[in-house]
């Protein structure tokens, strides 16, 4: 469980305080599926980066599985992040010149874990995301939707408890965007991975179980009834 407590982020420009957001409190549990929306520049990426311990808040703090890190904060948070959080980005961030499976194994390599121990796991995850035909292909031949599937496999290879996805559908057409979010939904449901994903798209945010948004520096979160807009699209 990742608990966000009274987070605020401020900037000072020419001595003037600018509040990006303040008083943000909520919980991301394993099994949660949260969409995060809000106008460009409202602080969505910043909030998710603070949760991942990549940026520091101006006030408030984050509790990781019941621990509020104080001493050895950076060490603790980076260890938590490497073990528990998989990341997906708008621009996929794959290495084009190496194969699909080598991209998926990159977090294993970076963690200094045994590549041979994870090779079967990487194949299994690539099958899960529907990319089994492309296991040994170069990334550069893939479409955007296929690249994002590979990026999802990479995020999952080390068995994270959470996925943080910053606009994973922004570079995809409508059909692929919906497919990627349906895949996120399946991962959430079948693997009990807690997901927070940023999006500007009304059609894909509706797949989430909780809808979060930032408006005028304030944070809101509500349960998604999952009824009106896309009734019938969630094959539960
Ligand atoms: N060092 C800084 N000093 C002042 N303002 C900053 C600084 N760093 C970031 N900002 C401001 O914070 C905001 C960035 O927020 P962030 O990138 O989290 O927004 P976002 O909601 O993810 O936007 P988008 O939808 O465009 O990705 C910007 O408005 C930027 O001007
Ligand atoms: Mg952003």
């Amino acid at each position: 469980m990742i608990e966000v407590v009274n987070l605020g982020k401020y900037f000072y420009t020419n001595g003037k305080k600018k509040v990006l957001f303040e008083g943000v409190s909520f919980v991301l549990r394993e099994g949660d599926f949260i969409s995060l929306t809000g106008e460009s520049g409202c602080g969505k990426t910043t909030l998710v980066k603070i949760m991942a311990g990549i940026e520091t808040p101006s006030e408030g703090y984050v509790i990781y599985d019941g621990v509020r890190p104080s001493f050895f904060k950076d060490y603790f948070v980076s260890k938590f992040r490497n073990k528990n959080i998989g990341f997906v980005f708008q621009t996929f961030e794959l290495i084009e010149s190496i194969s699909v499976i080598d991209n998926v194994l990159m977090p294993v390599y970076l963690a200094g874990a045994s590549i041979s121990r994870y090779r079967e796991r990487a194949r299994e995850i690539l099958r899960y995301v529907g990319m089994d035909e492309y296991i040994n292909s170069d990334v550069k031949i893939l479409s955007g939707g296929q690249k994002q599937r590979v990026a999802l496999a990479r995020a999952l290879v080390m068995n994270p408890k959470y996925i943080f996805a910053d606009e994973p559908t922004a570079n995809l057409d409508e059909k692929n965007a919906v497919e990627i979010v349906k895949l996120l939904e399946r991962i959430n449901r079948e693997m009990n991975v807690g997901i927070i994903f940023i999006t500007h798209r009304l059609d894909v945010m509706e797949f989430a179980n909780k809808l979060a948004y930032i408006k005028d520096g304030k944070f809101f979160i509500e349960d998604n009834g999952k009824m009106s807009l896309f009734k019938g699209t969630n094959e539960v």
Side-chain angles (χ1 to χ4, degrees), residues 9-13 18 20-21 37-49 55 90 166-167 198-200 214:
K9 185 74 182 177
Y10 315 138
F11 297 112
Y12 291 89
T13 35
K18 186 194 157 209
L20 191 56
F21 51 73
T37 56
E39 280 174 15
S40 184
C42 72
K44 303 180 295 295
T45 298
T46 305
L47 175 58
V48 168
K49 280 184 173 168
E55 265 200 46
Q90 172 175 349
D166 193 348
E167 304 206 33
I198 296 174
T199 182
H200 284 281
I214 300 172

Side-chain angles (χ1 to χ4, degrees), residues 136-198:
N136 294 307
S137 305
D138 277 357
V139 164
K140 56 177 174 279
I141 68 152
L142 304 180
S143 71
Q146 290 173 327
K147 284 180 182 168
Q148 203 56 303
R149 285 170 188 274
V150 174
L152 266 174
R154 179 184 57 188
L156 286 168
V157 73
M158 306 269 301
N159 260 313
K161 287 187 194 168
Y162 309 97
I163 286 182
F164 288 9
D166 193 348
E167 304 206 33
T169 63
N171 282 321
L172 303 178
D173 62 24
E174 189 180 338
K175 179 171 166 285
N176 278 295
V178 169
E179 273 175 13
I180 287 295
V181 177
K182 275 187 167 173
L183 186 53
L184 283 175
E185 195 219 15
R186 211 176 120 215
I187 290 164
N188 165 256
R189 189 160 32 90
E190 295 181 349
M191 299 183 177
N192 200 39
V193 171
I195 298 175
I196 183 161
F197 72 104
I198 296 174

Side-chain angles (χ1 to χ4, degrees), residues 6-10 19-26 36-39 41-44 47 59 211-221:
N6 199 31
L7 280 191
K9 185 74 182 177
Y10 315 138
V19 176
L20 191 56
F21 51 73
E22 60 187 355
V24 180
S25 296
F26 73 104
L36 175 58
T37 56
E39 280 174 15
C42 72
K44 303 180 295 295
L47 175 58
E59 65 173 31
L211 311 177
Y213 55 101
I214 300 172
K215 192 170 166 45
D216 300 329
K218 298 272 183 281
F219 177 88
F220 303 88
I221 187 161

Side-chain angles (χ1 to χ4, degrees), residues 66-225:
V67 178
R68 178 182 168 185
S70 48
F71 299 115
F72 306 113
K73 183 174 188 294
D74 291 346
Y75 176 72
F76 178 90
V77 178
S78 63
K79 221 175 125 200
F80 182 91
R81 182 171 60 234
N82 293 342
K83 189 167 183 294
N84 297 299
I85 305 175
F87 290 90
V88 181
F89 307 95
Q90 172 175 349
T91 46
F92 322 127
E93 306 293 331
L94 299 170
I95 301 171
E96 298 264 325
S97 57
I98 65 174
S99 70
V100 163
I101 191 161
D102 285 344
N103 269 277
V104 173
L105 285 166
M106 195 51 73
V108 179
Y109 175 75
L110 292 174
S114 157
I115 296 279
S116 56
R117 240 189 70 210
Y118 277 91
R119 195 169 289 279
E120 192 44 45
R121 162 84 183 155
R123 285 208 184 90
E124 185 190 307
I125 292 291
L126 280 165
R127 278 195 288 275
Y128 186 84
V129 301
M131 288 299 291
D132 35 339
E133 272 178 55
Y134 297 91
I135 285 175
N136 294 307
S137 305
D138 277 357
V139 164
K140 56 177 174 279
I141 68 152
L142 304 180
S143 71
Q146 290 173 327
K147 284 180 182 168
Q148 203 56 303
R149 285 170 188 274
V150 174
L152 266 174
R154 179 184 57 188
L156 286 168
V157 73
M158 306 269 301
N159 260 313
K161 287 187 194 168
Y162 309 97
I163 286 182
F164 288 9
D166 193 348
E167 304 206 33
T169 63
N171 282 321
L172 303 178
D173 62 24
E174 189 180 338
K175 179 171 166 285
N176 278 295
V178 169
E179 273 175 13
I180 287 295
V181 177
K182 275 187 167 173
L183 186 53
L184 283 175
E185 195 219 15
R186 211 176 120 215
I187 290 164
N188 165 256
R189 189 160 32 90
E190 295 181 349
M191 299 183 177
N192 200 39
V193 171
I195 298 175
I196 183 161
F197 72 104
I198 296 174
T199 182
H200 284 281
R201 303 175 58 121
L202 204 65
D203 56 349
V204 302
M205 69 183 240
E206 280 291 320
F207 283 92
N209 294 326
K210 289 184 183 163
L211 311 177
Y213 55 101
I214 300 172
K215 192 170 166 45
D216 300 329
K218 298 272 183 281
F219 177 88
F220 303 88
I221 187 161
E222 59 196 36
D223 281 332
N224 182 9

